[in-house]
Amino acid sequence: MPQHAPNTPVCRDCNGFAAAVITTGTRHADGTRATLTVTCRACQGTGHAHPVRKQEVSI
């Protein structure tokens, strides 16, 4: 029988890749590259989607 993966909601903005490291093009004195870490604004770097509350409509 096939094994089913657990249903974990993935962020639709970053597709689960919540953080990215970008090189600035410069180097530190020891020769390593200077980088910036950027996280997804929608999930705040978790990679998981937050449950959406249903909007109540009252007439």
Side-chain angles (χ1 to χ4, degrees):
M1 297 193 86
Q3 295 292 325
H4 296 287
N7 186 12
T8 56
V10 178
C11 176
R12 64 184 173 128
D13 292 336
C14 66
N15 201 22
F17 297 97
V21 179
I22 303 168
T23 60
T24 61
T26 59
R27 293 185 182 262
H28 295 290
D30 62 354
T32 59
R33 293 189 183 267
T35 59
L36 299 171
T37 303
V38 182
T39 58
C40 175
R41 291 181 185 172
C43 64
Q44 283 83 33
T46 62
H48 299 288
H50 299 290
V52 178
R53 293 188 299 168
K54 292 184 179 178
Q55 183 178 4
E56 294 182 12
V57 178
S58 60
I59 299 175

